[in-house]
Amino acid sequence: MTAAPPLTWLYAPGDRPHVVARALTAGADVVVVDLEDAVAPDRKAYARTATAELLGEPQPVPVHVRVNALGSPWGEQDIAALSPAPGLSGLRVPKVTYPAVITHLAQRTTAGLYALLETALAVEQAYAVATAHPSLRGIALGEADLRADLGVRDDAGLDWSRSRVVVAARAAGLPPPAQSVHPDVRDLDGLAASCAHGRALGFLGRGAIHPRQLPVIERAFLPTEQEIEEAETIVKAAATQQGAQALPDGRFIDTAVVTAAQRTLSLARRR
């Protein structure tokens, strides 16, 4: 039986070990220790050391680390310090523009790599990045930087880039991307509406910056009771008759429809 995919990715600043410790028990599917934007330059070395110490042993949930960009003064040091850590489940690599960044990192670490695309040029290179190396496990947008690069003021101005990344990920055989974080931790209604829009675009799951966002994200991406019932009907019909067919209610199903239904039931196991 296929494991249910992660839906919640909780970020915690690497220079605040007590916050990371709380994040590990907050109920997120994945904890992302951030060494990049959340950490001031004079705290980078401490954050790296503290994170390497934490990941010296396995953790109760998968832990990814968002390292500093390779073009920064800290990126290579982050990779060298964290790659051997037994508690590391993945490296999230910011500001990836070209596939060469991924192929370079794949030679430096055995950890699964996740590329963050944060500029217009990176979005144009999305498929090339997504197919750069088998070690790449996923791609996603860094929407704050992308918004600044594009100069868009309305959230809808990012929708084309969002769809481009969703298509690139699926074309490369990668999981659907998780949405970028919703920056207002008090705006839970806005978060829910944004998640619904992201789900409609093909995203699956979302980054969070506060534990209170986690249940909102999970509810938004879990299938409804009606969706579960429809998926069960499709899978049952496919099990009794091979190939394309029409259901009694007139709906036509084929292999692609069955695959989507199986994905829905995989998510439903989390309810």
Side-chain angles (χ1 to χ4, degrees):
M1 184 176 290
T2 303
L7 295 181
T8 52
W9 313 70
L10 180 60
Y11 280 79
D15 64 337
R16 300 173 67 186
H18 64 288
V19 176
V20 175
R22 289 203 301 266
L24 290 170
T25 60
D29 295 323
V30 179
V31 170
V32 183
V33 180
D34 191 6
L35 304 185
E36 195 211 11
D37 288 345
V39 179
D42 63 352
R43 300 273 290 174
K44 298 285 190 184
Y46 170 71
R48 182 189 310 118
T49 300
T51 302
E53 182 177 345
L54 169 75
L55 298 180
E57 57 187 31
Q59 297 301 310
V61 296
V63 177
H64 292 192
V65 177
R66 181 165 73 173
V67 295
N68 289 280
L70 288 191
S72 74
W74 312 282
E76 292 286 356
Q77 296 176 67
D78 291 346
I79 300 299
L82 295 169
S83 292
L88 179 69
S89 296
L91 289 171
R92 302 186 74 80
V93 187
K95 299 176 175 58
V96 174
T97 302
Y98 296 106
V101 173
I102 300 303
T103 55
H104 169 74
L105 284 176
Q107 298 170 2
R108 302 278 315 277
T109 180
T110 58
L113 302 175
Y114 296 79
L116 302 178
L117 311 179
E118 306 187 49
T119 64
L121 182 56
V123 172
E124 287 295 305
Q125 296 283 335
Y127 181 71
V129 171
T131 55
H133 194 276
S135 293
L136 188 73
R137 306 292 171 77
I139 60 174
L141 286 178
E143 290 193 356
D145 283 25
L146 180 61
R147 188 186 301 272
D149 190 38
L150 295 176
V152 299
R153 301 178 63 85
D154 191 295
D155 190 66
L158 294 177
D159 277 358
W160 185 88
S161 298
R162 291 165 175 158
S163 293
R164 176 72 176 266
V165 168
V166 169
V167 171
R170 301 305 294 139
L174 297 174
Q179 275 186 280
S180 187
V181 300
H182 186 71
D184 187 342
V185 299
R186 297 168 297 181
D187 180 23
L188 298 184
D189 289 341
L191 171 62
S194 177
C195 287
H197 180 61
R199 185 183 180 197
L201 290 175
F203 287 94
L204 182 62
R206 186 164 201 166
I209 54 176
H210 195 283
R212 69 166 61 101
Q213 296 178 316
L214 299 177
V216 178
I217 294 169
E218 184 160 340
R219 281 195 302 271
F221 286 97
L222 283 176
T224 64
E225 292 293 344
Q226 181 179 347
E227 289 169 337
I228 294 171
E229 184 178 341
E230 291 175 352
E232 289 174 339
T233 299
I234 291 168
V235 170
K236 183 178 180 180
T240 58
Q241 179 178 326
Q242 299 296 315
Q245 59 180 296
L247 298 181
D249 63 6
R251 285 179 297 159
F252 177 83
I253 66 171
D254 59 11
T255 302
V257 174
V258 174
T259 298
Q262 291 169 335
R263 189 181 306 127
T264 295
L265 295 181
S266 176
L267 283 170
R269 292 197 293 272
R270 298 173 55 108
R271 293 179 64 93

